[in-house]
Amino acid sequence: MCANVFGVLKSLFGKPFDGGKRMDNGGSQHPSMVRLHEVQQEVAGLGQQVCTFSGLQSDRDYRRLERELARLQMEVDQVETEGKAELQQARKRAAQEVEGLLRYLEENATHPSRLAIEELSQEAQRLVEVGVVEPQRSGAAEISDELVDAVQELVLRLTQVKTGGRVPLRKARYRALTRVCAVQDVIEGRARCQTLPLPLSEDTHAAVQRINQVMVQVSGARSQLVALLMGLSGRDSCAHLSRILTELLVELDALDVSGNASVRNYRKRVVEEINGLLKHLDLEGEGDDTCRYDLAQNDSIRQIEAVRGRVAQLRGEMLRQCGVGEFSFRPKAELQSLLTHLDEVDTARNPCIREARRRAVLELQAVITFLDLREALERRQPGLEEHPAHRAVWQVLASLLELQARVLCFDGKRADKSYMMLEELLTKQLLALDAVDPQGDPMTKAARKQAVKFAQNILSYLDMKTDEWEY
């Protein structure tokens, strides 16, 4: 287990927690010392639970842990020291360790980031209640684009919640993300189904009537699954819904659809729909596995970080050569291969890994677009009859290239003066492009549009570099 009780107590008290071994010395036979040793063993057991508890103060497990720790605290206070310095020191140490766990438990349950995660989870519940559950009850089944966009925004906001490396906060964020991302997948799947052709007519084949009936049941199961994931269905359970869907799969498999390709394809589509729902029904214990939410040792993250490290090396060498006026360094082929490698990284449906990969791709693309623009400016050979507005766009692009080089080098925060200066200069270039009048010239219109997009991408990249995102 990562960041276990021993590491936590070491950070709290400056000494590693040894499970009471340091009491195993000359005074270990004293009844008070024996009792303190027993208390510390209990602390070690509870500490592992405390250090991975990701809930709130209102949770039953929080109250249980708090009650157990308070009991141990009282037992430590009741240990007689008989005025002996060694016993006094041991009792003080045991009391500190229990108090440290109580404090750690409370800090995580009331941490602003934990409350932010809970607030976003409740916002997701409200969205699902209004956009999925209530319409389903009233007989409406259509998913709006607004709901899909709102859930996507929630996923992004959850990935941006800072945990400060605390395992309980990472665990809480991961558990919330897996559920919201599962909801996102289900409603997006349902939205896609709305655009598909209507089911086959029952006159097509004898099995079509039953497949259509299953399709209706699957539609209801989607809403039921979404409600389960968001904690809006008190009576049902994931296991119960899983059994129902599995039974539907067995029934579909038993249907005789031989000799009719269209019916076979229709059944296959319904089977895929059911399997898509089933994959989200294993979330009951999701987040209990440390490697799922503590990503420091995750293989996919290691691959992403290795690519980012290589990109940083290439970027540094490229900018160094640009600074001295040399342009022989052209790493575009290697950058493209790194981009391909990122595409192949397995995110394992983990939204944090997916976001880490997305950001690494943007870092890589920023370097590639810089190289592309530099090469375009090198090749540029304006004619005497070039449109003045077209020339003005290229002048702005040349300025943007210089600014992008500074953005690529930037390693500060949003409060820094250099950040505000870069943001202001980039905004000025956007205004300069806005002032360019193409005068009906289609080439100038296209060039200005591309330049605006390029400037906006640089601003977005600068913003991403300073948003203090973490895994």
Side-chain angles (χ1 to χ4, degrees), residues 241 243 281 296 323 335 406 428 438 445:
L241 183 57
R243 283 194 299 272
L281 285 169
L335 290 168
R406 293 169 62 180
K428 284 182 178 178
K445 281 183 180 180

Side-chain angles (χ1 to χ4, degrees), residues 10-24:
K10 181 178 180 180
S11 67
L12 287 172
F13 311 121
K15 294 181 181 179
F17 180 71
D18 59 11
K21 289 179 183 177
R22 59 178 169 275
M23 293 185 181
D24 251 353

